[in-house]
mmCIF file of all heavy atoms in Angstrom:
data_model
loop_
_atom_site.group_PDB
_atom_site.id
_atom_site.type_symbol
_atom_site.label_atom_id
_atom_site.label_comp_id
_atom_site.label_asym_id
_atom_site.label_seq_id
_atom_site.Cartn_x
_atom_site.Cartn_y
_atom_site.Cartn_z
ATOM 1 N N ASN A 50 29.427 -2.045 10.063
ATOM 2 C CA ASN A 50 28.240 -2.561 10.716
ATOM 3 C C ASN A 50 28.354 -2.110 12.306
ATOM 4 O O ASN A 50 27.272 -1.865 12.870
ATOM 5 C CB ASN A 50 28.100 -4.012 10.653
ATOM 6 C CG ASN A 50 27.818 -4.467 9.183
ATOM 7 O OD1 ASN A 50 27.730 -3.681 8.382
ATOM 8 N ND2 ASN A 50 27.559 -5.813 9.079
ATOM 9 N N MET A 51 29.400 -2.134 12.857
ATOM 10 C CA MET A 51 29.648 -1.856 14.376
ATOM 11 C C MET A 51 29.207 -0.410 14.543
ATOM 12 O O MET A 51 28.556 -0.131 15.679
ATOM 13 C CB MET A 51 31.051 -1.991 14.799
ATOM 14 C CG MET A 51 31.582 -3.450 14.621
ATOM 15 S SD MET A 51 30.586 -4.588 15.702
ATOM 16 C CE MET A 51 31.354 -4.354 17.178
ATOM 17 N N ASN A 52 29.342 0.490 13.661
ATOM 18 C CA ASN A 52 28.906 1.871 13.847
ATOM 19 C C ASN A 52 27.564 2.193 13.204
ATOM 20 O O ASN A 52 27.182 3.276 13.185
ATOM 21 C CB ASN A 52 30.081 2.883 13.394
ATOM 22 C CG ASN A 52 31.254 2.830 14.114
ATOM 23 O OD1 ASN A 52 31.361 2.394 15.268
ATOM 24 N ND2 ASN A 52 32.434 3.063 13.489
ATOM 25 N N ASN A 53 27.029 1.109 12.571
ATOM 26 C CA ASN A 53 25.729 1.260 11.858
ATOM 27 C C ASN A 53 25.892 2.380 10.811
ATOM 28 O O ASN A 53 24.968 3.255 10.750
ATOM 29 C CB ASN A 53 24.616 1.702 12.889
ATOM 30 C CG ASN A 53 23.257 1.216 12.394
ATOM 31 O OD1 ASN A 53 23.151 0.436 11.515
ATOM 32 N ND2 ASN A 53 22.200 1.943 12.918
ATOM 33 N N GLU A 54 26.944 2.326 9.984
ATOM 34 C CA GLU A 54 27.202 3.324 8.912
ATOM 35 C C GLU A 54 27.448 2.654 7.608
ATOM 36 O O GLU A 54 27.878 1.426 7.623
ATOM 37 C CB GLU A 54 28.348 4.184 9.280
ATOM 38 C CG GLU A 54 28.342 4.967 10.560
ATOM 39 C CD GLU A 54 29.776 5.585 10.881
ATOM 40 O OE1 GLU A 54 30.750 5.023 10.397
ATOM 41 O OE2 GLU A 54 29.696 6.586 11.544
ATOM 42 N N GLY A 55 27.207 3.369 6.553
ATOM 43 C CA GLY A 55 27.509 2.837 5.247
ATOM 44 C C GLY A 55 26.443 3.103 4.220
ATOM 45 O O GLY A 55 25.275 2.882 4.582
ATOM 46 N N THR A 56 26.882 3.596 3.140
ATOM 47 C CA THR A 56 25.947 3.702 1.886
ATOM 48 C C THR A 56 26.664 3.156 0.704
ATOM 49 O O THR A 56 27.779 3.187 0.519
ATOM 50 C CB THR A 56 25.468 5.022 1.834
ATOM 51 O OG1 THR A 56 26.675 5.925 1.520
ATOM 52 C CG2 THR A 56 24.662 5.718 2.928
ATOM 53 N N VAL A 57 25.783 2.768 -0.281
ATOM 54 C CA VAL A 57 26.209 2.423 -1.591
ATOM 55 C C VAL A 57 25.405 3.148 -2.580
ATOM 56 O O VAL A 57 24.225 3.501 -2.339
ATOM 57 C CB VAL A 57 26.210 0.777 -1.861
ATOM 58 C CG1 VAL A 57 27.120 0.052 -0.969
ATOM 59 C CG2 VAL A 57 24.780 0.356 -1.777
ATOM 60 N N LYS A 58 26.027 3.307 -3.714
ATOM 61 C CA LYS A 58 25.180 3.869 -4.915
ATOM 62 C C LYS A 58 25.059 2.897 -5.984
ATOM 63 O O LYS A 58 26.021 2.309 -6.459
ATOM 64 C CB LYS A 58 26.075 5.184 -5.388
ATOM 65 C CG LYS A 58 25.154 5.991 -6.285
ATOM 66 C CD LYS A 58 25.933 7.345 -6.579
ATOM 67 C CE LYS A 58 24.911 8.429 -7.126
ATOM 68 N NZ LYS A 58 25.590 9.714 -7.287
ATOM 69 N N VAL A 59 23.813 2.681 -6.288
ATOM 70 C CA VAL A 59 23.453 1.729 -7.406
ATOM 71 C C VAL A 59 22.268 2.321 -8.253
ATOM 72 O O VAL A 59 21.277 2.769 -7.596
ATOM 73 C CB VAL A 59 23.120 0.354 -6.881
ATOM 74 C CG1 VAL A 59 21.984 0.364 -5.898
ATOM 75 C CG2 VAL A 59 22.835 -0.617 -7.887
ATOM 76 N N GLY A 60 22.444 2.213 -9.563
ATOM 77 C CA GLY A 60 21.362 2.800 -10.342
ATOM 78 C C GLY A 60 20.976 4.245 -10.080
ATOM 79 O O GLY A 60 19.915 4.739 -10.204
ATOM 80 N N GLY A 61 22.034 5.012 -9.695
ATOM 81 C CA GLY A 61 21.774 6.442 -9.457
ATOM 82 C C GLY A 61 21.230 6.710 -8.135
ATOM 83 O O GLY A 61 20.950 7.880 -7.756
ATOM 84 N N GLN A 62 20.902 5.739 -7.282
ATOM 85 C CA GLN A 62 20.305 5.978 -6.039
ATOM 86 C C GLN A 62 21.289 5.567 -4.837
ATOM 87 O O GLN A 62 21.961 4.566 -5.067
ATOM 88 C CB GLN A 62 18.988 5.197 -5.849
ATOM 89 C CG GLN A 62 17.994 5.721 -6.807
ATOM 90 C CD GLN A 62 16.625 4.759 -6.625
ATOM 91 O OE1 GLN A 62 16.823 3.653 -6.323
ATOM 92 N NE2 GLN A 62 15.535 5.456 -6.853
ATOM 93 N N VAL A 63 21.179 6.307 -3.826
ATOM 94 C CA VAL A 63 22.043 5.969 -2.578
ATOM 95 C C VAL A 63 21.142 5.295 -1.645
ATOM 96 O O VAL A 63 20.097 5.601 -1.164
ATOM 97 C CB VAL A 63 22.598 7.239 -2.047
ATOM 98 C CG1 VAL A 63 23.345 6.946 -0.689
ATOM 99 C CG2 VAL A 63 23.398 8.022 -2.945
ATOM 100 N N TRP A 64 21.743 4.032 -1.182
ATOM 101 C CA TRP A 64 21.051 3.165 -0.268
ATOM 102 C C TRP A 64 21.923 2.849 0.893
ATOM 103 O O TRP A 64 23.115 2.847 0.861
ATOM 104 C CB TRP A 64 20.857 1.668 -0.904
ATOM 105 C CG TRP A 64 19.884 1.554 -2.000
ATOM 106 C CD1 TRP A 64 20.008 2.100 -3.211
ATOM 107 C CD2 TRP A 64 18.601 0.968 -1.888
ATOM 108 N NE1 TRP A 64 18.889 1.689 -4.112
ATOM 109 C CE2 TRP A 64 17.963 1.007 -3.174
ATOM 110 C CE3 TRP A 64 17.934 0.332 -0.797
ATOM 111 C CZ2 TRP A 64 16.724 0.557 -3.469
ATOM 112 C CZ3 TRP A 64 16.713 -0.217 -1.155
ATOM 113 C CH2 TRP A 64 16.066 -0.047 -2.354
ATOM 114 N N SER A 65 21.330 2.696 2.137
ATOM 115 C CA SER A 65 22.029 2.339 3.307
ATOM 116 C C SER A 65 22.505 0.956 3.093
ATOM 117 O O SER A 65 21.760 0.148 2.445
ATOM 118 C CB SER A 65 21.062 2.388 4.553
ATOM 119 O OG SER A 65 20.700 3.673 4.800
ATOM 120 N N ALA A 66 23.542 0.645 3.611
ATOM 121 C CA ALA A 66 24.192 -0.648 3.314
ATOM 122 C C ALA A 66 24.879 -1.272 4.412
ATOM 123 O O ALA A 66 25.435 -0.540 5.297
ATOM 124 C CB ALA A 66 25.128 -0.670 2.100
ATOM 125 N N ARG A 67 24.930 -2.600 4.618
ATOM 126 C CA ARG A 67 25.681 -3.239 5.673
ATOM 127 C C ARG A 67 26.350 -4.505 4.993
ATOM 128 O O ARG A 67 25.847 -5.017 4.093
ATOM 129 C CB ARG A 67 24.675 -3.842 6.756
ATOM 130 C CG ARG A 67 23.813 -2.757 7.507
ATOM 131 C CD ARG A 67 24.822 -1.781 8.306
ATOM 132 N NE ARG A 67 24.155 -0.706 8.776
ATOM 133 C CZ ARG A 67 24.064 0.506 8.233
ATOM 134 N NH1 ARG A 67 24.692 0.789 7.220
ATOM 135 N NH2 ARG A 67 23.394 1.484 8.877
ATOM 136 N N SER A 68 27.469 -4.783 5.552
ATOM 137 C CA SER A 68 28.251 -5.925 4.963
ATOM 138 C C SER A 68 27.577 -7.303 5.488
ATOM 139 O O SER A 68 27.239 -7.394 6.608
ATOM 140 C CB SER A 68 29.760 -5.812 5.315
ATOM 141 O OG SER A 68 29.958 -5.863 6.659
ATOM 142 N N ILE A 69 27.821 -8.292 4.749
ATOM 143 C CA ILE A 69 27.254 -9.526 5.081
ATOM 144 C C ILE A 69 27.903 -10.313 6.205
ATOM 145 O O ILE A 69 27.497 -10.989 6.990
ATOM 146 C CB ILE A 69 27.058 -10.422 3.749
ATOM 147 C CG1 ILE A 69 25.979 -11.490 4.045
ATOM 148 C CG2 ILE A 69 28.338 -11.101 3.446
ATOM 149 C CD1 ILE A 69 25.597 -12.140 2.700
ATOM 150 N N ASP A 70 29.262 -10.030 6.288
ATOM 151 C CA ASP A 70 30.085 -10.713 7.203
ATOM 152 C C ASP A 70 30.808 -9.809 8.276
ATOM 153 O O ASP A 70 31.734 -10.103 8.764
ATOM 154 C CB ASP A 70 31.198 -11.541 6.557
ATOM 155 C CG ASP A 70 31.909 -10.652 5.507
ATOM 156 O OD1 ASP A 70 31.657 -9.585 5.410
ATOM 157 O OD2 ASP A 70 32.732 -11.300 4.780
ATOM 158 N N ASN A 71 30.209 -8.532 8.454
ATOM 159 C CA ASN A 71 30.636 -7.578 9.439
ATOM 160 C C ASN A 71 31.967 -7.055 9.102
ATOM 161 O O ASN A 71 32.582 -6.419 9.958
ATOM 162 C CB ASN A 71 30.581 -8.162 10.893
ATOM 163 C CG ASN A 71 29.067 -8.331 11.335
ATOM 164 O OD1 ASN A 71 28.226 -7.599 10.943
ATOM 165 N ND2 ASN A 71 28.868 -9.408 12.131
ATOM 166 N N GLU A 72 32.365 -7.156 7.919
ATOM 167 C CA GLU A 72 33.684 -6.564 7.603
ATOM 168 C C GLU A 72 33.537 -5.077 7.251
ATOM 169 O O GLU A 72 32.547 -4.718 6.728
ATOM 170 C CB GLU A 72 34.603 -7.331 6.557
ATOM 171 C CG GLU A 72 33.902 -7.243 5.106
ATOM 172 C CD GLU A 72 34.804 -7.918 4.078
ATOM 173 O OE1 GLU A 72 35.955 -7.732 4.057
ATOM 174 O OE2 GLU A 72 34.117 -8.588 3.203
ATOM 175 N N VAL A 73 34.567 -4.292 7.426
ATOM 176 C CA VAL A 73 34.547 -2.864 7.056
ATOM 177 C C VAL A 73 34.925 -2.854 5.621
ATOM 178 O O VAL A 73 35.922 -3.407 5.222
ATOM 179 C CB VAL A 73 35.520 -2.141 7.996
ATOM 180 C CG1 VAL A 73 35.581 -0.707 7.500
ATOM 181 C CG2 VAL A 73 35.066 -2.147 9.417
ATOM 182 N N ILE A 74 34.188 -2.100 4.857
ATOM 183 C CA ILE A 74 34.315 -1.960 3.463
ATOM 184 C C ILE A 74 34.562 -0.517 3.123
ATOM 185 O O ILE A 74 33.713 0.370 3.465
ATOM 186 C CB ILE A 74 33.287 -2.509 2.526
ATOM 187 C CG1 ILE A 74 32.864 -4.013 2.938
ATOM 188 C CG2 ILE A 74 33.561 -2.360 1.068
ATOM 189 C CD1 ILE A 74 31.828 -4.616 2.265
ATOM 190 N N ALA A 75 35.620 -0.142 2.528
ATOM 191 C CA ALA A 75 36.087 1.120 2.259
ATOM 192 C C ALA A 75 35.279 1.920 1.196
ATOM 193 O O ALA A 75 34.727 1.205 0.274
ATOM 194 C CB ALA A 75 37.595 1.246 1.908
ATOM 195 N N GLN A 76 35.279 3.166 1.318
ATOM 196 C CA GLN A 76 34.639 4.022 0.247
ATOM 197 C C GLN A 76 35.371 3.721 -1.057
ATOM 198 O O GLN A 76 36.585 3.626 -1.179
ATOM 199 C CB GLN A 76 34.766 5.551 0.612
ATOM 200 C CG GLN A 76 34.056 6.400 -0.449
ATOM 201 C CD GLN A 76 34.117 7.925 -0.078
ATOM 202 O OE1 GLN A 76 34.716 8.195 0.986
ATOM 203 N NE2 GLN A 76 33.667 8.703 -0.909
ATOM 204 N N GLY A 77 34.583 3.645 -2.192
ATOM 205 C CA GLY A 77 35.015 3.419 -3.515
ATOM 206 C C GLY A 77 35.157 1.973 -3.926
ATOM 207 O O GLY A 77 35.351 1.755 -5.128
ATOM 208 N N GLU A 78 35.031 1.071 -3.086
ATOM 209 C CA GLU A 78 35.121 -0.250 -3.404
ATOM 210 C C GLU A 78 33.820 -0.712 -4.031
ATOM 211 O O GLU A 78 32.744 -0.199 -3.915
ATOM 212 C CB GLU A 78 35.422 -1.187 -2.139
ATOM 213 C CG GLU A 78 36.858 -1.099 -1.707
ATOM 214 C CD GLU A 78 37.119 -2.226 -0.742
ATOM 215 O OE1 GLU A 78 36.924 -3.378 -1.060
ATOM 216 O OE2 GLU A 78 37.640 -1.884 0.452
ATOM 217 N N VAL A 79 33.963 -1.871 -4.902
ATOM 218 C CA VAL A 79 32.883 -2.458 -5.478
ATOM 219 C C VAL A 79 32.230 -3.625 -4.797
ATOM 220 O O VAL A 79 33.063 -4.416 -4.212
ATOM 221 C CB VAL A 79 33.158 -2.839 -6.957
ATOM 222 C CG1 VAL A 79 31.927 -3.478 -7.694
ATOM 223 C CG2 VAL A 79 33.681 -1.685 -7.851
ATOM 224 N N VAL A 80 31.012 -3.655 -4.577
ATOM 225 C CA VAL A 80 30.365 -4.720 -3.770
ATOM 226 C C VAL A 80 29.275 -5.384 -4.515
ATOM 227 O O VAL A 80 28.774 -4.802 -5.596
ATOM 228 C CB VAL A 80 29.778 -4.122 -2.355
ATOM 229 C CG1 VAL A 80 30.932 -3.729 -1.526
ATOM 230 C CG2 VAL A 80 28.796 -2.984 -2.654
ATOM 231 N N VAL A 81 28.831 -6.568 -4.124
ATOM 232 C CA VAL A 81 27.827 -7.283 -4.811
ATOM 233 C C VAL A 81 26.575 -7.233 -3.738
ATOM 234 O O VAL A 81 26.765 -7.528 -2.600
ATOM 235 C CB VAL A 81 28.093 -8.760 -5.102
ATOM 236 C CG1 VAL A 81 26.937 -9.470 -5.647
ATOM 237 C CG2 VAL A 81 29.336 -8.867 -5.967
ATOM 238 N N ILE A 82 25.450 -6.979 -4.231
ATOM 239 C CA ILE A 82 24.241 -6.906 -3.401
ATOM 240 C C ILE A 82 23.653 -8.341 -3.188
ATOM 241 O O ILE A 82 23.345 -9.020 -4.215
ATOM 242 C CB ILE A 82 23.071 -6.026 -3.986
ATOM 243 C CG1 ILE A 82 23.650 -4.563 -4.213
ATOM 244 C CG2 ILE A 82 21.852 -6.108 -3.187
ATOM 245 C CD1 ILE A 82 22.807 -3.752 -5.011
ATOM 246 N N LYS A 83 23.670 -8.806 -2.041
ATOM 247 C CA LYS A 83 23.212 -10.212 -1.718
ATOM 248 C C LYS A 83 21.851 -10.305 -1.268
ATOM 249 O O LYS A 83 21.122 -11.258 -1.670
ATOM 250 C CB LYS A 83 24.186 -10.721 -0.535
ATOM 251 C CG LYS A 83 25.503 -11.025 -1.007
ATOM 252 C CD LYS A 83 25.522 -11.970 -2.139
ATOM 253 C CE LYS A 83 27.028 -12.323 -2.518
ATOM 254 N NZ LYS A 83 27.041 -13.351 -3.577
ATOM 255 N N LYS A 84 21.282 -9.396 -0.562
ATOM 256 C CA LYS A 84 19.872 -9.299 -0.211
ATOM 257 C C LYS A 84 19.459 -7.957 0.323
ATOM 258 O O LYS A 84 20.327 -7.154 0.418
ATOM 259 C CB LYS A 84 19.597 -10.411 0.894
ATOM 260 C CG LYS A 84 20.226 -10.267 2.277
ATOM 261 C CD LYS A 84 19.922 -11.451 3.164
ATOM 262 C CE LYS A 84 20.732 -11.299 4.390
ATOM 263 N NZ LYS A 84 20.392 -12.309 5.401
ATOM 264 N N ILE A 85 18.124 -7.884 0.535
ATOM 265 C CA ILE A 85 17.661 -6.579 1.095
ATOM 266 C C ILE A 85 16.853 -6.882 2.362
ATOM 267 O O ILE A 85 16.040 -7.778 2.351
ATOM 268 C CB ILE A 85 16.640 -5.947 0.019
ATOM 269 C CG1 ILE A 85 17.415 -5.648 -1.275
ATOM 270 C CG2 ILE A 85 16.012 -4.599 0.512
ATOM 271 C CD1 ILE A 85 16.628 -5.258 -2.445
ATOM 272 N N VAL A 86 17.194 -6.062 3.340
ATOM 273 C CA VAL A 86 16.511 -6.330 4.677
ATOM 274 C C VAL A 86 15.904 -4.987 4.947
ATOM 275 O O VAL A 86 16.648 -3.958 5.269
ATOM 276 C CB VAL A 86 17.432 -6.787 5.796
ATOM 277 C CG1 VAL A 86 16.666 -6.878 7.131
ATOM 278 C CG2 VAL A 86 18.044 -8.197 5.369
ATOM 279 N N GLY A 87 14.606 -4.894 4.929
ATOM 280 C CA GLY A 87 14.016 -3.449 5.110
ATOM 281 C C GLY A 87 14.454 -2.563 4.051
ATOM 282 O O GLY A 87 14.073 -2.837 2.837
ATOM 283 N N VAL A 88 15.104 -1.555 4.393
ATOM 284 C CA VAL A 88 15.606 -0.536 3.405
ATOM 285 C C VAL A 88 17.090 -0.503 3.372
ATOM 286 O O VAL A 88 17.615 0.378 2.674
ATOM 287 C CB VAL A 88 15.022 0.987 3.659
ATOM 288 C CG1 VAL A 88 13.509 0.985 3.612
ATOM 289 C CG2 VAL A 88 15.525 1.362 5.034
ATOM 290 N N LYS A 89 17.656 -1.578 3.795
ATOM 291 C CA LYS A 89 19.122 -1.538 3.831
ATOM 292 C C LYS A 89 19.648 -2.872 2.729
ATOM 293 O O LYS A 89 18.983 -3.897 2.814
ATOM 294 C CB LYS A 89 19.714 -1.892 5.107
ATOM 295 C CG LYS A 89 19.661 -0.836 6.082
ATOM 296 C CD LYS A 89 20.142 -1.206 7.450
ATOM 297 C CE LYS A 89 20.344 -0.058 8.364
ATOM 298 N NZ LYS A 89 19.193 0.730 8.757
ATOM 299 N N LEU A 90 20.534 -2.565 2.102
ATOM 300 C CA LEU A 90 21.175 -3.477 1.183
ATOM 301 C C LEU A 90 22.238 -4.293 1.928
ATOM 302 O O LEU A 90 23.071 -3.651 2.689
ATOM 303 C CB LEU A 90 21.716 -2.800 -0.073
ATOM 304 C CG LEU A 90 20.923 -2.074 -0.972
ATOM 305 C CD1 LEU A 90 21.622 -1.530 -2.150
ATOM 306 C CD2 LEU A 90 19.832 -2.871 -1.414
ATOM 307 N N ILE A 91 22.144 -5.538 1.896
ATOM 308 C CA ILE A 91 23.306 -6.449 2.559
ATOM 309 C C ILE A 91 24.223 -6.814 1.410
ATOM 310 O O ILE A 91 23.847 -7.337 0.366
ATOM 311 C CB ILE A 91 22.545 -7.669 3.219
ATOM 312 C CG1 ILE A 91 21.481 -7.289 4.064
ATOM 313 C CG2 ILE A 91 23.757 -8.455 3.874
ATOM 314 C CD1 ILE A 91 21.809 -6.399 5.261
#
């Protein structure tokens, strides 16, 4: 979140993503989609 970076792949589509609690999440980890703000998945 600090660098305004990150994407996730879900349903064959790549979405911009941000973590809900500002933690850094590494590539390859599995996440749960909590909400959508604009075009970003939280």
Side-chain angles (χ1 to χ4, degrees):
N50 291 5
M51 297 299 278
N52 295 335
N53 205 24
E54 299 174 333
T56 58
V57 297
K58 193 170 197 174
V59 59
Q62 294 181 329
V63 177
W64 288 75
S65 294
R67 299 296 172 261
S68 64
I69 200 161
D70 50 7
N71 290 324
E72 71 175 315
V73 176
I74 303 174
Q76 180 180 0
E78 288 194 54
V79 177
V80 293
V81 178
I82 301 166
K83 292 297 185 177
K84 62 182 176 178
I85 301 171
V86 176
V88 293
K89 290 183 173 55
L90 300 180
I91 308 301

